[in-house]
Amino acid sequence: MPEFGKPVRPPKPPGWRPPGHRPPGWRPPHYNPPYYRPPHWHWGSYYWYPGWGWYFTAIVAGSTLVYVTSLPDKNCEKVKDGSETLYLCDGVLYRPTYHDDTQVYEVVTPTDEEGAAQAETMLGLSLTSPMTRGPAVRELQTLLGGYDYDVGAVDGVFGRSTEAALLWLQYDYELEQTGAVDEPTAQLLGILPPDEAETSEGDAATAETAEGEEAEATEASEGEPDAEAEPDPAPESEEGSSAGD
């Protein structure tokens, strides 16, 4: 419970991000625009993203900010964030601000690619929408490259080139072509150890063979006559005894 006298802050609107949450050097995902738009004489190149329209980027205070020159032609809802007013337009949040003394709107909501979950393990990786990314994907791409399969750029993004390389690997090694890092593929790449079931079956077969050999050796030793045993002496006859007396 909040302490007495301390105001309770309202929850942030969906998609809210702090100003400047994109690191320096951030590059927007590439999408083919519907038509060509020449660069702005001062702001530079325009980019296009579904749901945002045309936008441009700028480095401000060590962060990459994304701006649009105007709100989309849709019904936008005003959202209060403390003393700040944001605009929610078709699920995208915009923050009104100024850039070089010109009214612009910062795109607050992250892209689908930015919101994608980071993969923690290579097992189960496959092509998803949005595309899975992270160090685990980069490690998988490096492994596939070690098998001489072309994954395109080793960028940590599981795209169609990575899926194609994985399918070729599964085809060449006669595995089921799932396009995903399933257990047989993970064992081939060394991500997982050999199948424990196969290992236990092999150990059981080895034990059975050893037991069979031991039983055969025992039976063979029991069937052979005892060469060292001496025969019982023949009993003396009565005639022989009397003659000796």
Side-chain angles (χ1 to χ4, degrees), residues 40-227:
H40 190 271
W41 65 273
H42 179 64
W43 294 332
S45 298
Y46 282 104
Y47 305 93
W48 188 84
Y49 185 80
W52 296 357
W54 293 99
Y55 66 95
F56 65 95
T57 61
I59 302 296
V60 178
S63 300
T64 301
L65 302 185
V66 179
Y67 297 119
V68 295
T69 56
S70 61
L71 294 175
D73 296 332
K74 302 173 184 177
N75 295 325
C76 297
E77 175 187 358
K78 287 186 177 182
V79 179
K80 295 293 291 184
D81 178 28
S83 60
E84 190 176 33
T85 299
L86 305 178
Y87 292 91
L88 182 62
C89 310
D90 196 22
V92 179
L93 276 176
Y94 298 90
R95 178 183 289 114
T97 184
Y98 282 87
H99 181 59
D100 291 342
D101 298 328
T102 303
Q103 171 76 62
V104 291
Y105 298 87
E106 180 191 353
V107 180
V108 179
T109 303
T111 64
D112 291 339
E113 289 79 2
E114 290 179 281
Q118 295 282 323
E120 298 179 358
T121 176
M122 287 184 281
L123 185 62
L125 286 176
S126 62
L127 184 63
T128 58
S129 180
M131 295 178 183
T132 307
R133 60 182 60 223
V137 179
R138 188 184 301 274
E139 188 175 354
L140 173 64
Q141 292 171 332
T142 302
L143 284 175
L144 291 171
Y147 279 77
D148 292 331
Y149 291 100
D150 184 14
V151 297
V154 181
D155 53 4
V157 180
F158 195 112
R160 296 197 176 277
S161 297
T162 305
E163 183 191 40
L166 194 59
L167 286 169
W168 274 112
L169 173 81
Q170 293 171 334
Y171 174 80
D172 290 341
Y173 286 85
E174 299 181 352
L175 301 177
E176 183 181 359
Q177 293 177 261
T178 61
V181 184
D182 49 21
E183 289 190 8
T185 306
Q187 291 167 4
L188 173 65
L189 292 172
I191 302 170
L192 287 179
D195 193 352
E196 294 181 0
E198 294 180 358
T199 304
S200 60
E201 289 177 2
D203 293 342
T206 303
E208 290 178 1
T209 303
E211 290 177 1
E213 292 177 353
E214 183 178 353
E216 290 177 0
T218 304
E219 292 176 359
S221 62
E222 290 177 354
E224 294 178 357
D226 191 357

